[in-house]
Amino acid sequence: MTPPRVEKAKQGTGSVDAARDQILRSIRENLARSARDAVTHAPSDHAPPKPRVPSPEPLDAVERFTSQLEAVGAHWTLVRGEVEAARALRRILSDAGAKRVAGSDAPLVARVLPGRLTGLSRDELFTCDAGVTTAQWGIAETGTLVLESARERSRLASLVPPIHIALLSTNRICASLGDALARVDVTSHAITLITGPSRTSDIELTLVVGVHGPQTVHVLLLEEE
């Protein structure tokens, strides 16, 4: 009875060896095929480099500020020096048909618009077509104007007439609200932040421009001569 059992064992061992050999052969063939593919698809040392896509350059403060002014519905004009500012201001007022113009007590406003009306009461300001002031700071991230009471009186000239024209130096544009607040005069008892024309949707959620303030805001950006 022993020989048949030995023969059967030998047959089983041979089957296992044959299966193992077949698995190893299959592994070797797949490894060889993978190596050939790697060589075929490997990049050549002389292949031209892939073009680099340039990352967009960040906008500077003036570009960001003017972009945000447009986004909130305000207008802007870039001028160089006070003579050009005075000329642009007269053109804006003429195009708007503004006859009665109130101005703040800022020396710059006096120089570029000598015929402005000053010292007006609140009721008299309501009869004006436009108000001209300076702005002490601009905020690039929102297109906001910052007016300080310690630097300029007659803030109502920026709030009551239907047209507000602000003169702002380009070197006084800050990146953010925090940057602007860090620079304001601590003696100012009031700080006015103006972001585009006045808007409200109190009545039936319908957006209306110019109910609680100017319908038009125009910023004259002064570059140094």
Side-chain angles (χ1 to χ4, degrees):
M1 298 299 293
T2 300
R5 286 198 294 272
V6 172
E7 180 66 24
K8 186 175 181 181
K10 288 181 179 179
Q11 289 177 353
T13 302
S15 299
V16 171
D17 291 342
R20 183 183 60 191
D21 291 342
Q22 183 178 357
I23 293 171
L24 291 174
R25 184 167 57 253
S26 176
I27 291 173
R28 292 189 193 99
E29 290 174 353
N30 279 281
L31 288 174
R33 188 179 305 112
S34 298
R36 287 194 302 272
D37 291 343
V39 172
T40 302
H41 298 291
S44 169
D45 292 338
H46 302 290
K50 293 182 179 180
R52 295 181 60 185
V53 179
S55 57
E57 292 294 330
L59 296 177
D60 65 21
V62 176
E63 289 176 318
R64 289 184 62 200
F65 182 67
T66 55
S67 176
Q68 290 302 315
L69 281 177
E70 294 174 359
V72 298
H75 307 276
W76 61 275
T77 302
L78 187 64
V79 294
R80 190 169 181 82
E82 294 184 11
V83 173
E84 189 173 337
R87 188 162 50 243
L89 179 56
R90 289 193 298 268
R91 184 178 65 251
I92 293 168
L93 293 171
S94 176
D95 291 345
K99 305 296 185 184
R100 189 173 169 84
V101 181
S104 73
D105 65 343
L108 176 59
V109 176
R111 291 194 297 269
V112 299
L113 190 66
R116 76 200 189 288
L117 301 174
T118 59
L120 300 179
S121 67
R122 183 179 59 181
D123 291 338
E124 290 172 326
L125 282 169
F126 276 103
T127 67
C128 291
D129 303 309
V132 180
T133 70
T134 61
Q136 281 65 58
W137 306 102
I139 302 176
E141 68 180 359
T142 56
T144 300
L145 299 170
V146 182
L147 279 65
E148 302 177 37
S149 62
R151 307 283 184 90
E152 181 176 27
R153 290 183 298 174
S154 302
R155 289 183 305 111
L156 286 178
S158 70
L159 300 174
V160 176
I163 300 171
H164 175 214
I165 303 170
L167 298 114
L168 172 67
S169 174
T170 55
N171 60 20
R172 285 183 164 263
I173 297 177
C174 306
S176 64
L177 174 61
D179 293 335
L181 293 179
R183 291 168 169 79
V184 299
D185 191 329
V186 294
T187 64
S188 293
H189 67 269
I191 298 172
T192 305
L193 303 179
I194 300 171
T195 306
S198 169
R199 287 178 169 83
T200 183
S201 56
D202 294 342
I203 303 174
E204 297 182 355
L205 300 181
T206 301
L207 181 63
V208 181
V209 176
V211 174
H212 301 306
Q215 299 173 0
T216 302
V217 172
H218 200 123
V219 182
L220 286 178
L221 294 169
L222 277 75
E223 288 186 323
E224 296 294 335
E225 290 186 286

